[in-house]
Amino acid sequence: MDSRETHMPHGVITEREKGEQVEKLVLPRTIHLVPMDYLDGFAVRPGFYEINGATAIPGGVNFTVYSHGATAIELLLFRREKTEPFAILPFPEHYRIGNVYSMIVFQLNIEEFEYAYRVDGPYEPGKGLVFDRNKYLLDPYAKAVTGQSQWGESLPSGQHYRARVVKDDFDWGDMGQPLLPMEDLIIYELHVRGFTKDPSSGVLHPGTFAGLMEKLPYLLELGVNVVELMPIFEFDEMQDYREVDGEKLYNYWGYNTVSFFAPNTSYTSSKEYNREGNELKNLIQVFNRHGIEVYLDVVFNHTAEGNENGPFFSFKGFDNNIYY
């Protein structure tokens, strides 16, 4: 072991908070790690295998993905709005433990790149294996998705979903959960866009998390203590888009998920580059302070990739048999 290297005191740390057992993954303020290899001009080393997705750490970014059937995985780095990667970093075989691939890439500024993957493996559709190393794939654990930030706009021709690394620095303060008894819940289910999109809502930011927060006095007046949000994850409203009698029909409700960990960027009132999710977190924080819990409506039994004839942009390419 290099004498300059100190182990990161990572892992799950248990804390006592208001009588509840809370598990948190804690990253230290300082990490002293040294590169072990160089790929396409970048210094790299094996990463932290228990941290899924892409996570900014002092000195670089930790990338971790999972695939049972893959034979090779490449990390692709892009400049914003560019269609081809400026760097391709294959995960060395010894960076794989079991079915988990993990790599730290040093000296990456999260505001200067987006990323995707390519995954190679057997192609035997009869066995559910549909690996295609030519496909650019969205990280299943992405916390921010590029490509559809404006409602009602499709991905430009020839482009594909990519991810951004999110800086997790939102200040939750001392916020706790109301933890209301089930028998006392008064639940208001709503669609974030539909609830305030019409001018009659009277909000400054219609169709967004901020617009919903403007309706807090109204919800309090109703006596609501739970707001259940229909899917707020990144989804493709343009899937099956059509016009009937001059009316534009979208896949409106959000049950065709593109990414389960990324809030829908069209639901924000302003751009949140590398801070995606802050407007949603602010909504949750403010509602909780006023005694209103926020529930999320989630459906895990299908995604926007559909069946075997549907699109191919993430889960299928990483491991069709595992995700489906």
Side-chain angles (χ1 to χ4, degrees):
M1 180 181 296
D2 192 302
S3 61
R4 295 170 294 173
E5 179 182 352
T6 59
H7 285 289
M8 171 183 176
H10 63 280
V12 176
I13 297 177
T14 302
E15 300 177 350
R16 284 286 182 180
E17 183 176 312
K18 296 185 178 180
E20 295 291 326
Q21 197 81 359
V22 179
E23 290 188 343
K24 293 182 179 179
L25 187 64
V26 178
L27 289 173
R29 293 183 180 275
T30 304
I31 302 177
H32 298 290
L33 296 170
V34 295
M36 295 179 63
D37 298 289
Y38 288 86
L39 299 173
D40 204 358
F42 285 91
V44 300
R45 65 166 292 125
F48 300 109
Y49 292 79
E50 76 279 25
I51 308 176
N52 290 312
T55 306
I57 62 174
V61 178
N62 185 85
F63 297 91
T64 302
V65 292
Y66 174 94
S67 179
H68 175 75
T71 57
I73 297 181
E74 294 175 328
L75 169 66
L76 312 178
L77 303 178
F78 298 81
R79 301 297 182 195
R80 281 186 187 170
E81 300 182 0
K82 300 297 183 182
T83 58
E84 295 301 322
F86 68 85
I88 300 175
L89 284 65
F91 284 79
E93 180 59 31
H94 59 285
Y95 284 30
R96 173 180 183 174
I97 295 180
N99 300 318
V100 181
Y101 299 72
S102 190
M103 176 167 59
I104 293 172
V105 182
F106 292 91
Q107 302 303 314
L108 275 181
N109 183 339
I110 66 171
E111 297 180 357
E112 295 179 351
F113 76 93
E114 299 168 350
Y115 73 98
Y117 292 97
R118 284 195 303 221
V119 180
D120 200 3
Y123 183 79
E124 300 179 56
K127 296 181 179 180
L129 302 172
V130 291
F131 292 99
D132 183 347
R133 74 170 308 275
N134 296 311
K135 293 282 189 180
Y136 290 175
L137 301 177
L138 176 66
D139 183 356
Y141 288 91
K143 294 182 179 178
V145 178
T146 69
Q148 281 187 286
S149 59
Q150 297 297 321
W151 177 270
E153 292 186 6
S154 299
L155 275 170
S157 178
Q159 292 195 20
H160 49 273
Y161 291 117
R162 300 202 293 258
R164 278 193 287 267
V165 181
V166 173
K167 189 171 181 61
D168 187 13
D169 59 358
F170 184 82
D171 184 6
W172 289 100
D174 59 354
M175 190 194 88
Q177 292 180 303
L179 298 176
L180 303 170
M182 184 68 71
E183 62 270 19
D184 294 337
L185 300 184
I186 302 173
I187 302 174
Y188 194 123
E189 183 182 20
L190 59 87
H191 186 280
V192 170
R193 180 176 173 82
F195 192 62
T196 62
K197 187 58 182 174
D198 192 87
S200 63
S201 68
V203 301
L204 295 176
H205 304 98
T208 66
F209 297 122
L212 174 55
M213 193 159 58
E214 293 178 61
K215 301 299 289 186
L216 176 60
Y218 169 70
L219 294 168
L220 290 171
E221 184 180 355
L222 290 178
V224 171
N225 57 21
V226 175
V227 168
E228 180 180 350
L229 306 182
M230 297 180 74
I232 53 85
F233 313 106
E234 198 68 64
F235 64 89
D236 182 10
E237 72 276 5
M238 299 305 292
Q239 190 176 67
D240 301 322
Y241 168 80
R242 59 201 181 279
E243 292 190 24
V244 178
D245 297 330
E247 187 76 17
K248 295 180 179 180
L249 301 180
Y250 300 98
N251 199 324
Y252 189 76
W253 304 112
Y255 292 101
N256 57 332
T257 305
V258 168
S259 177
F260 287 104
F261 295 94
N264 193 316
T265 50
S266 71
Y267 283 0
T268 59
S269 60
S270 60
K271 299 292 185 184
E272 294 184 309
Y273 288 132
N274 305 108
R275 298 293 190 282
E276 284 84 354
N278 277 7
E279 191 169 306
L280 171 61
K281 293 174 184 177
N282 190 42
L283 165 71
I284 294 170
Q285 185 180 54
V286 171
F287 273 39
N288 271 253
R289 284 175 177 168
H290 287 81
I292 297 180
E293 293 187 313
V294 178
Y295 290 1
L296 301 182
D297 181 355
V298 190
V299 174
F300 290 111
N301 66 356
H302 62 276
T303 73
E305 288 186 314
N307 60 16
E308 67 275 14
N309 299 315
F312 187 126
F313 58 79
S314 181
F315 309 100
K316 285 181 183 177
F318 272 95
D319 210 312
N320 184 57
N321 282 339
I322 294 297
Y323 284 104
Y324 298 111

